[in-house]
Amino acid sequence: MFLQMNEVAKRFADHEVFSGINVSIEKNQFVSILGPSGCGKSTLLSMVAGLEDVTEGTLRLGGEKILHPGTDRGMVFQQPALFPWLTVKDNVTFPLKADHSKREKEQIAANYLKMVHLTRFKDAYPHELSGGMQQRVAIARALAMDPKVLLMDEPFGALDEQTRHILHDELMKIFEETKKTILFVTHSIQEAIKLSDRVIVMGTRPGKIIADFPIDIARPRERDDTKVIEMEKKIMELLEDEIKKVMKEELDYETKHLG
């Protein structure tokens, strides 16, 4: 398998975030991780990015153990995290290695800005762009490094629904054109089903994988498609049980400690 997680665990002091995570992801696959707050899905993504240490187990990409950040993994966060003093073009070329000539960097930026439909904004600054446009710059910047895996941590979570749906379509075009492996974290069941080849569902307290659904539905996927509705219902039932469990634990704690 291309990306492998074997018996991966994460603990902070005496708090166990998750343990026993075993996932194998094929090359060119779009996989979403879905789960309630606190299940550790963003922490797991950060570990794949090399931004968080692994407490136990191993993470491998292309057979190589992941020990630190690298250009073989591109990360897109919920907030675009662009440099406000750089233009759109310069934000995209910023992570490129020094061995690229100026002309090569400009060509790479032009290619990916065209892909996200921001060519005419190449000389603009982040504050001159909408939230959706800023996120498209962040995606172009991640792709400019030509990573083996694109890691996306709720990249559309802060956007309005209309913009989010537009960017879903844009991301699907990018996925089809670049054939990148994508690991995508989201809270939205609809988003996960619309975009993914697989949806991994995590439970919490501590975090664990409770389901792994292949999404064998032809694209583009519409909300009123019977198969989409059935899959959404299955995942919702699983997550409702997890959310109820968390709420019960919180109520029990408040009753015990607060009277």
Side-chain angles (χ1 to χ4, degrees):
M1 285 293 178
F2 185 57
L3 176 61
Q4 291 181 300
M5 309 177 193
N6 296 316
E7 292 299 322
V8 174
K10 182 64 178 179
R11 285 189 295 272
F12 295 108
D14 60 349
H15 172 58
E16 184 178 47
V17 182
F18 51 71
S19 63
I21 300 295
N22 291 287
V23 176
S24 296
I25 295 173
E26 297 177 9
K27 197 172 184 180
N28 311 137
Q29 199 171 41
F30 194 126
V31 178
S32 284
I33 302 177
L34 189 66
S37 296
C39 70
K41 54 190 182 295
S42 291
T43 300
L44 183 60
L45 197 74
S46 293
M47 291 164 71
V48 176
L51 301 174
E52 288 277 0
D53 293 332
V54 176
T55 305
E56 292 177 7
T58 57
L59 293 167
R60 295 182 184 275
L61 178 59
E64 297 292 323
K65 189 179 288 188
I66 296 173
L67 299 172
H68 45 68
T71 56
D72 55 353
R73 284 147 288 146
M75 186 82 171
V76 180
F77 300 92
Q78 184 172 354
Q79 300 297 331
L82 303 176
F83 297 111
W85 59 88
L86 295 180
T87 64
V88 164
K89 180 183 70 177
D90 290 340
N91 264 287
V92 173
T93 60
F94 183 84
L96 296 178
K97 294 179 179 179
D99 57 1
H100 286 88
S101 68
K102 181 178 179 182
R103 183 176 180 181
E104 286 173 334
K105 288 181 178 180
E106 290 185 347
Q107 185 56 50
I108 290 170
N111 179 44
Y112 288 107
L113 287 175
K114 180 179 180 182
M115 191 176 290
V116 298
H117 307 295
L118 288 175
T119 299
R120 69 189 182 100
F121 294 96
K122 64 184 177 66
D123 296 319
Y125 288 87
H127 74 272
E128 298 176 300
L129 307 178
S130 68
M133 293 166 74
Q134 289 181 26
Q135 198 60 293
R136 281 150 63 192
V137 176
I139 294 170
R141 180 178 60 187
L143 289 170
M145 298 187 297
D146 193 24
K148 293 178 180 178
V149 178
L150 186 61
L151 306 171
M152 309 188 79
D153 190 5
E154 298 188 63
F156 310 136
L159 303 175
D160 63 84
E161 186 174 4
Q162 183 177 358
T163 301
R164 191 161 61 246
H165 285 306
I166 291 171
L167 290 185
H168 287 165
D169 293 339
E170 293 298 327
L171 182 58
M172 277 295 93
K173 291 175 185 176
I174 290 168
F175 174 61
E176 290 166 4
E177 185 172 342
T178 65
K179 303 300 181 184
K180 294 294 181 188
T181 303
I182 298 179
L183 188 56
F184 188 98
V185 164
T186 179
H187 275 105
S188 170
I189 298 173
Q190 287 185 352
E191 184 171 65
I193 295 172
K194 181 177 181 179
L195 298 175
S196 312
D197 298 314
R198 285 168 64 193
V199 175
I200 294 171
V201 183
M202 290 185 69
T204 190
R205 306 294 177 91
K208 57 188 176 298
I209 294 174
I210 58 175
D212 188 343
F213 292 104
I215 310 298
D216 188 19
I217 304 172
R219 293 183 173 100
R221 298 165 184 162
E222 303 298 334
R223 287 183 177 181
D224 58 356
D225 185 308
T226 302
K227 291 183 179 179
V228 170
I229 294 170
E230 289 175 353
M231 181 59 66
E232 185 176 353
K233 183 179 179 181
K234 283 182 183 178
I235 296 174
M236 177 62 79
E237 287 173 353
L238 282 174
L239 288 178
E240 279 182 347
D241 289 341
E242 290 300 311
I243 293 168
K244 287 176 182 176
K245 183 176 72 175
V246 171
M247 290 179 67
K248 183 179 184 304
E249 288 177 359
E250 290 175 352
L251 287 171
D252 289 345
Y253 178 87
E254 290 174 358
T255 301
K256 181 178 179 180
H257 292 85
L258 303 178

